[in-house]
Amino acid sequence: MDHGRHQAPAEYRADEGCLTLLIRIPVRIVVLVVVLPVRMARDALVVAARAAHRTLLRPLGRALVRLYEPVLVPLGHALMWPAAAVFVWPWVALWRYALVPGVRYGLVVPVVWLYESVLTPVGHGLRWANRELLAPAGRGIRRAVGRVLLVLVALPVTGLWRYVLVPLGHGAAWLVEHLVVRPLRWLYREVLTPLGHGAAWLLDKPARGIAAIGTGLWTAAVWLVRTLLFTPLHWLHRRLLSPLGREIAAAFGIAWQVAGYVSRALGRAIAWLARHLVGAPVAWAYRTVCTPVGHFLRDRIRGPARRAAAEAGRAARSALRSAGETVRRARRDAWRALVGGAWEPEPREPGRRVTRRLGTTQQTTTVPSAAPEPEISSPGEKNAERG
């Protein structure tokens, strides 16, 4: 909107007449009426695009970025197996178990067998026949036909050309040279050339007069065209078209600035109304209603639900781990009961500490990395002693 605000006004030449001053104001008014809707429409589109980017596209992009890892990535991983099962595996199976065996045993194997068993022997036979039979026969036929053509065609034609046509051509050329060319050359040099020089000498002075008349006519035509055509066109361009073009250009610039001022004022009015009629109530509702409700949902519902889900996941993993350990022990015991074998100590759990307790038979340990547990008796033992 501020483009061209500080530009200097258009400078006009000193030879502007009353016609320029008369057409200046009407042209500017008409151009302003034409340019104002275009400028307002352009400013409205710019404001709408910025608002859409700020209120719709940017939050949508941020929401997609936030949903990418926790939602879209697991959803893509979950849809990968059904998609592969529907779109990839059938084509792979079709290629591997239908097309490849079909092409191999239905096309490649028969073609290879045909090439090795049929075409190769046939080709070897044809090559032997060509080398041993057809090539010698062809060379003999070529030599015989060449000698026949040499005797019946080449020798007669060569004798006819050398002993008949060449002497006849030389005689015809001598006759044409002495009966046609030399008489014509003498006629041109001794008769026609002197006659041409005499005619040119006789027509020399009239040709100069004709050239002078043509020059005068050309000068008069040039003067008429310059006076009747180019001078009025030059005056029209300098006095009418050039001032009118300058005024229209200046009017477009001023109209674009005025339309920018009007559009900016209208935009500010619409923004003020939107801020006080829509923005302020929405901000108040978001600050006083949505924010407390969101905090309540985050602190009272989403947090406990997340913690409960984490506890349930840990409990499920612990139960699955315990079930797996129980199954492994039962399998080892069943195998030992069936086939026999020495007793194997149970593997120690990764997180279990090797310690000693009071009242146990194992008072000392030989494990270097085992830390002694505080010598405190269990509550059950204390209760038993008191009782």
Side-chain angles (χ1 to χ4, degrees), residues 143 212 266 276:
R143 290 174 182 174
L266 184 60
H276 288 80

Side-chain angles (χ1 to χ4, degrees), residues 8 40 45 62 89 155 157 192 221 227 259 320 370 376:
M40 293 185 65
L45 290 177
R62 292 177 179 175
W89 294 349
L155 292 178
V157 170
L192 297 180
T227 303
L320 290 176
I376 300 173

Side-chain angles (χ1 to χ4, degrees), residues 10 29 61 63 98 113 118 122 124 127 160 180 183 191 211 240 252 273 286 308-309 314 337 340 362 367 378 381-382:
I29 293 173
W113 177 85
V118 179
V122 170
H124 291 171
R127 184 177 62 180
L160 179 63
V180 178
V191 178
L240 182 60
F252 267 103
L273 292 175
Y286 175 79
R314 286 193 292 269
Q362 184 181 1
V367 179
S378 61
E381 295 178 355
K382 290 182 179 182

